[in-house]
Amino acid sequence: MTVDLNEAQKEVVLTKDGPILVVAGAGTGKTNTLVHKLAHLVKTGTNPESILLLTFTRRAAKEMLGRASGILDQRMMSVKGGTFHSFCQLFLRRYGNSVSILPNFSILDEEDTIGFVGMARDQVVTPNTKLRFPKKETLAEMFSSSFNLQISLEKFIQKEYPMFIGQTKEIQEIKNKFNELKRKHNALDFDDLLDVTRSILMSDEVIREKMASIYQYILVDEYQDTNRIQAHIACLLASKHQNILVVGDDAQCIYGFRGANVRNMLDFPKIFPKTKIIQLTENYRSVQPILDVANSVLAGSKENYKKNLFSIKTKSLEKPFLVKLENLEEEAEWISSLFLELYENGNSFSEMAALFRAGYSSHLLEMQLTAKRIPYRKYGGKRFLDLAHVKDTIAYLKVIENPNDILSWNRILLLEDHIGKKYANLIYKQLETNSFDWETDPQFFLGIPESTKLSFLKLLECLEICRFGQKTPSQILEQILAHYLPILTSNYDDAEKRKPDLEALVYLAKKETNVTEYLSQLVLNPVEGKEIGSDEDSENEFVTLSTIHSAKGLEWKFVVNMQIVEGVLPNHRIKTVEELEEERRLFYVAITRAKNSLYLTNPLTNEKNRYTSVSRFISDLPNEGELFTKLSPIQNQNITKEGNEREKDGGTDPFQSIQNYFLN
C-alpha cells in the first residue's frame, strides 16, 4: 500500500498512535499521504466509524474518502468526514440540550444572519438618528470577524472601522440584541456552531469522554488554516487518547484576516508534548530553481518550521525571471505579450496564470488581454467593470458623453442625497422635455422640493465643470471623483478599500484623448476563446487571473507574479511583525504555484506615477543574484529540532494542558 510513497510519507502512514504533526511543504503530496493514512488505519483493524476526518470543504473530505476507497474498499466510506461546521452541527443536535439548545435549531446562512442583524439594528438605530451608522452587512462582518479573530468587538472596530469608534456602545448593544433574537428563535449562525461546541467540550467531562470513545482517531487537514476555536475543538476531542494527526504547512498560513492562526501549527507540540513531527519536503510540482527562491524567501522568516524543499524534476532548469519594467502599463503589455508568445509556441492558455496581491492590480492587464483577444477568467473578486463603485463613476462619464442615457442618469441621481426614485424619474423627464437644457425653462424645478433641488444643482455643478473646456478623460475623471468620493465614503463602509479601483480608472484614462474612445475601450467585452483558433473545444481554454489567496492549492506551468514591489507585496497597510510574516508566506504561496517557469514583474512607477522599489522579500535575499535571471525592457528558529528534542512529559493532564494553552 505504501509502495508509491517516499520515506517521510511512509513514516506518516505507519505511525499509528499519539499526536503527529505533519509539516507538508508546498507540492509535497500531503493529500496523497493523508489518503494512504486513512486506508492504512482501517486495513490494520481500526473501526472506520471511529475515525474523524476534519477538512475545510465537504468536497475535500468526500474526495479523500473516495480515493481511500480506491486503495482499500468501501469500508472507507464509513469514516466520519466533513467540515468543522458540519461536525459541530451534528454534535449540537445530540448534545446541545446540555446548554438549553433544542435539537431542531435552525442554522442561519449569511443572508439570514444579515437579516437578524438588521432586525437588531432597527431596535437601536432610530429613523431620526443623525450620525452615519454602519449597515447591517458591515455589522454582521464586524461580529463574525471579531469572533473568529478572538479579539473584542471594540478592538476590531478600532483596527478596521475607526470611523465608527464613536458608535461602539450602540454597536455592542446591537450585537447583544442579535444574540437575544437568535436565542428567542432557536437559531444558530455559523460562528455559534463552533462557539457552543467548544463550550460544551470544555465544561462537560462526561460528554468529552463520550466523544473520545466514539472518535479514537482525529485527523485534520489544512491545519494551518484553522482559527483558534477550530484548533481548540480538535485538541479537546483528542484530549483523552491524544491520537490526533494534523497536516499543514505553516508557510502557507495566509488567511489571518479570517482568523487562521499560524500559532496553531507552531505551538502544537506545546499542547501535546509527545508530538512526533514529520516533515514532507520532496516537491512533486516545481523545478528546483523555483524551489530555491521559495526556500530563500522562507529563510528570512522570524519563526517557522525550518524546511528545505527539493525536487527531482529535471525537465526545465531555467531560473525564475525578475523583470524590471517602466510602469504599470508596460507591465500589462509585457505580460499579455508573454502569454501570446507562449501560446504561439504551442502552449495552452490554461497552463498560464497571472497572480496578484489585490484584485485591482489586474485592471490594466484585463484591458491588454482583451485588446490581444486572449481569453481569460478572473478569480478572487469581481471583474473590474462589475464593481459597483466603478459603475457609479463610469455613469457620470456616460451622462457627459450622452445626455440621453436614462440608465446612467438614474444611477447618478439616486446617489445624491434627497433624490429617491420618484424625483429621479421626474427630473429625468424634465431634462428630456427641455432637451437636457436645465437653464432655459424657469418651470424646470416646479414640483421639486428645495432639498432635492439643492442636491440636483450640486450634481449639475460637477457635470458643468466636466462638460466645458478642453479637458482630457483623466482630468474629467478627477473632477468627477472630487464630487463622488464623499458619496463613496457615505455609501460604502469599506470606502478606503475601493479607492484604488477609482485611481486605476484615472490611470487607464491617461493615454486617451477623448471620452468616447475611453468609454469604448472600457466596455469592450473579452473575446471568447473559440475565436483564437479553429479547435471547437478551445473556448474552454483561458488564462487565469487570480489573487494569490484564491490561487492557493492550484498550479500552472507558467506563472507571472505581478507588482512585486514595496507597498503592494508586502502591502502598505501592514503594521506588525505578524502581518509582515503573513505577507512573506503569501509571497511563498505565489512562488510555489509555478511548475516550470516563474516570472516576477517589478514596475518602477505605480498608478500615481510615484517611484517604487522591488519588494523587500527579494531585495533582502543574500543570494538574489544567483536565484534570478534579470530582465529589464533574523536568524531562523529551528522549531522542528526543538519540538523533536523537547523533554517528553507524560505526567501532565492533557485536558488541563489544552485548557491552559487556549484560555491563558
Side-chain angles (χ1 to χ4, degrees):
M1 183 183 292
T2 61
V3 65
D4 297 327
L5 303 179
N6 63 41
E7 291 306 310
Q9 292 171 331
K10 288 178 183 177
E11 186 179 5
V12 174
V13 172
L14 298 176
T15 303
K16 186 174 183 181
D17 294 336
I20 306 168
L21 171 62
V22 181
V23 182
T28 56
K30 63 98 177 167
T31 300
N32 187 43
T33 306
L34 199 50
V35 165
H36 278 80
K37 175 70 177 181
L38 287 163
H40 184 74
L41 280 172
V42 175
K43 183 182 179 182
T44 54
T46 302
N47 181 353
E49 294 185 1
S50 71
I51 302 172
L52 176 63
L53 171 65
L54 294 170
T55 62
F56 275 82
T57 64
R58 182 171 173 267
R59 179 180 177 183
K62 186 177 180 181
E63 180 182 333
M64 277 191 266
L65 294 177
R67 287 172 59 180
S69 295
I71 295 173
L72 192 60
D73 52 48
Q74 284 302 307
R75 283 178 292 170
M76 297 308 306
M77 301 313 292
S78 297
V79 170
K80 302 301 179 184
T83 65
F84 277 92
H85 289 96
S86 64
F87 166 78
C88 292
Q89 176 264 147
L90 292 172
F91 174 86
L92 292 175
R93 300 284 183 203
R94 186 168 183 178
Y95 299 109
N97 55 9
S98 67
V99 288
S100 303
I101 293 177
L102 300 177
N104 66 334
F105 62 83
S106 300
I107 300 175
L108 304 177
D109 62 16
E110 184 178 1
E111 186 176 341
D112 296 331
T113 297
I114 291 172
F116 267 55
V117 171
M119 292 168 64
R121 185 184 189 276
D122 291 342
Q123 294 179 32
V124 176
V125 183
T126 58
N128 60 356
T129 298
K130 296 183 179 180
L131 288 174
R132 177 190 168 204
F133 211 83
K135 298 175 181 178
K136 58 185 180 182
E137 294 83 359
T138 303
L139 289 166
E141 194 269 332
M142 286 179 178
F143 302 157
S144 183
S145 292
S146 61
F147 168 76
N148 283 291
L149 292 167
Q150 288 290 275
I151 61 175
S152 69
L153 181 59
E154 182 180 5
K155 285 185 178 179
F156 183 78
I157 294 170
Q158 288 173 352
K159 182 181 179 183
E160 298 294 336
Y161 293 96
M163 73 286 286
F164 296 126
I165 289 176
Q167 284 85 39
T168 299
K169 182 180 177 181
E170 291 83 356
I171 293 172
Q172 183 63 59
E173 186 179 354
I174 292 171
K175 182 181 179 181
N176 294 339
K177 291 187 179 298
F178 169 53
N179 289 332
E180 289 171 7
L181 282 169
K182 288 187 291 182
R183 285 194 294 270
K184 178 181 177 182
H185 296 281
N186 193 34
L188 300 176
D189 62 23
F190 275 37
D191 296 334
D192 295 327
L193 294 176
L194 298 176
D195 194 30
V196 180
T197 297
R198 179 178 65 160
S199 178
I200 294 173
L201 288 172
M202 281 195 299
S203 60
D204 196 317
E205 184 178 359
V206 173
I207 292 177
R208 194 167 61 248
E209 294 199 354
K210 176 70 173 174
M211 296 308 295
S213 67
I214 295 174
Y215 299 116
Q216 296 169 19
Y217 290 91
I218 313 296
L219 286 74
V220 187
D221 187 28
E222 302 285 10
Y223 193 64
Q224 79 281 343
D225 291 338
T226 55
N227 61 31
R228 198 167 176 84
I229 304 95
Q230 291 164 329
H232 197 175
I233 289 170
C235 292
L236 284 167
L237 290 170
S239 61
K240 184 173 180 63
H241 50 63
Q242 299 189 58
N243 294 327
I244 178 170
L245 181 147
V246 298
V247 184
D249 185 2
D250 55 303
Q252 294 190 70
C253 182
I254 60 172
Y255 298 114
F257 60 94
R258 295 181 190 165
N261 195 329
V262 71
R263 299 241 58 95
N264 291 343
M265 280 203 69
L266 297 178
D267 293 346
F268 188 80
K270 295 180 181 177
I271 302 167
F272 296 102
K274 292 184 179 181
T275 295
K276 183 173 187 178
I277 301 174
I278 304 172
Q279 291 207 4
L280 305 184
T281 55
E282 182 174 350
N283 181 285
Y284 296 94
R285 175 188 299 154
S286 307
V287 294
Q288 192 60 47
I290 292 172
L291 299 181
D292 289 340
V293 174
N295 290 333
S296 295
V297 168
L298 275 191
S301 177
K302 303 299 180 187
E303 188 176 26
N304 63 12
Y305 286 102
K306 190 173 184 180
K307 63 179 78 72
N308 195 62
L309 300 180
F310 68 94
S311 172
I312 58 173
K313 291 180 67 176
T314 58
K315 187 175 181 181
S316 170
L317 293 177
E318 66 181 12
K319 291 191 291 186
F321 295 92
L322 184 58
V323 188
K324 187 176 292 186
L325 300 155
E326 285 297 320
N327 51 45
L328 297 178
E329 193 169 63
E330 186 176 313
E331 178 189 48
E333 165 64 28
W334 188 88
I335 295 171
S336 60
S337 296
L338 170 69
F339 288 155
L340 195 57
E341 180 183 351
L342 291 170
Y343 176 76
E344 293 296 333
N345 288 336
N347 296 290
S348 165
F349 281 129
S350 61
E351 295 177 320
M352 309 172 203
L355 309 182
F356 33 85
R357 174 64 176 82
Y360 61 82
S361 297
S362 70
H363 298 338
L364 286 168
L365 179 57
E366 291 177 52
M367 301 300 172
Q368 286 288 346
L369 294 175
T370 298
K372 289 184 171 63
R373 303 169 72 84
I374 298 174
Y376 71 90
R377 291 186 188 173
K378 183 176 179 180
Y379 299 90
K382 293 183 179 179
R383 283 184 55 218
F384 183 43
L385 297 181
D386 293 333
L387 299 169
H389 50 294
V390 172
K391 284 180 173 289
D392 290 347
T393 308
I394 291 174
Y396 290 97
L397 282 177
K398 288 183 174 180
V399 165
I400 292 166
E401 182 65 13
N402 173 22
N404 290 286
D405 188 334
I406 184 172
L407 293 178
S408 296
W409 265 113
N410 190 58
R411 189 175 189 101
I412 65 174
L413 285 168
L414 291 176
L415 289 172
E416 299 296 323
D417 292 335
H418 311 297
I419 302 181
K421 290 182 179 180
K422 173 184 174 182
Y423 289 114
N425 290 333
L426 177 59
I427 288 172
Y428 182 81
K429 287 179 181 178
Q430 295 278 57
L431 286 166
E432 192 175 39
T433 301
N434 286 275
S435 301
F436 299 94
D437 182 358
W438 45 83
E439 293 182 346
T440 55
D441 188 354
Q443 303 298 310
F444 186 90
F445 291 106
L446 194 65
I448 296 177
E450 186 65 18
S451 59
T452 301
K453 174 183 174 181
L454 291 175
S455 291
F456 179 55
L457 289 174
K458 185 180 177 183
L459 170 62
L460 290 183
E461 183 181 355
C462 167
L463 298 177
E464 286 292 291
I465 294 172
C466 295
R467 286 175 64 190
F468 297 106
Q470 299 296 317
K471 294 185 178 68
T472 64
S474 62
Q475 290 172 330
I476 292 172
L477 275 169
E478 287 170 355
Q479 293 288 344
I480 289 171
L481 292 181
H483 175 81
Y484 177 69
L485 286 179
I487 296 173
L488 177 79
T489 302
S490 175
N491 286 8
Y492 300 99
D493 291 336
D494 59 348
E496 286 301 316
K497 296 178 182 177
R498 296 174 183 257
K499 286 180 181 178
D501 296 318
L502 304 182
E503 292 169 358
L505 269 179
V506 177
Y507 188 87
L508 286 167
K510 286 190 180 297
K511 287 205 171 183
E512 300 295 340
T513 56
N514 65 78
V515 173
T516 302
E517 183 63 25
Y518 177 61
L519 285 172
S520 298
Q521 290 299 323
L522 280 178
V523 299
L524 282 173
N525 292 317
V527 180
E528 292 295 328
K530 60 186 177 183
E531 298 187 31
I532 296 292
S534 58
D535 185 355
E536 290 297 318
D537 292 329
S538 64
E539 63 200 48
N540 297 319
E541 224 184 83
F542 53 85
V543 169
T544 296
L545 307 185
S546 176
T547 61
I548 303 170
H549 286 98
S550 295
K552 183 173 172 288
L554 304 177
E555 60 184 40
W556 296 268
K557 187 175 180 180
F558 306 96
V559 173
V560 179
N561 289 333
M562 298 177 59
Q563 296 180 30
I564 308 302
V565 298
E566 283 293 303
V568 178
L569 187 65
N571 187 271
H572 69 278
R573 290 193 179 95
I574 62 168
K575 297 176 182 177
T576 66
V577 172
E578 290 77 13
E579 289 171 340
L580 177 62
E581 287 305 301
E582 179 153 329
E583 293 288 298
R584 184 188 302 279
R585 297 192 293 270
L586 193 63
F587 187 37
Y588 166 84
V589 168
I591 293 167
T592 54
R593 299 312 93 198
K595 295 195 286 187
N596 280 42
S597 298
L598 175 67
Y599 305 84
L600 309 178
T601 57
N602 169 213
L604 298 179
T605 57
N606 61 20
E607 68 279 358
K608 297 179 180 178
N609 290 323
R610 294 175 182 166
Y611 284 104
T612 63
S613 59
V614 70
S615 169
R616 72 187 74 177
F617 299 142
I618 292 177
S619 61
D620 288 351
L621 296 176
N623 55 341
E624 176 194 343
E626 302 169 9
L627 294 171
F628 299 100
T629 295
K630 294 188 178 181
L631 300 180
S632 227
I634 315 180
Q635 182 104 13
N636 194 49
Q637 182 181 352
N638 191 339
I639 295 179
T640 304
K641 183 177 179 181
E642 179 188 342
N644 282 327
E645 293 181 355
R646 186 178 287 105
E647 181 181 349
K648 307 300 188 281
D649 178 8
T652 305
D653 173 27
F655 170 69
Q656 196 56 52
S657 177
I658 290 168
Q659 295 302 89
N660 289 341
Y661 174 78
F662 282 102
L663 300 182
N664 293 327

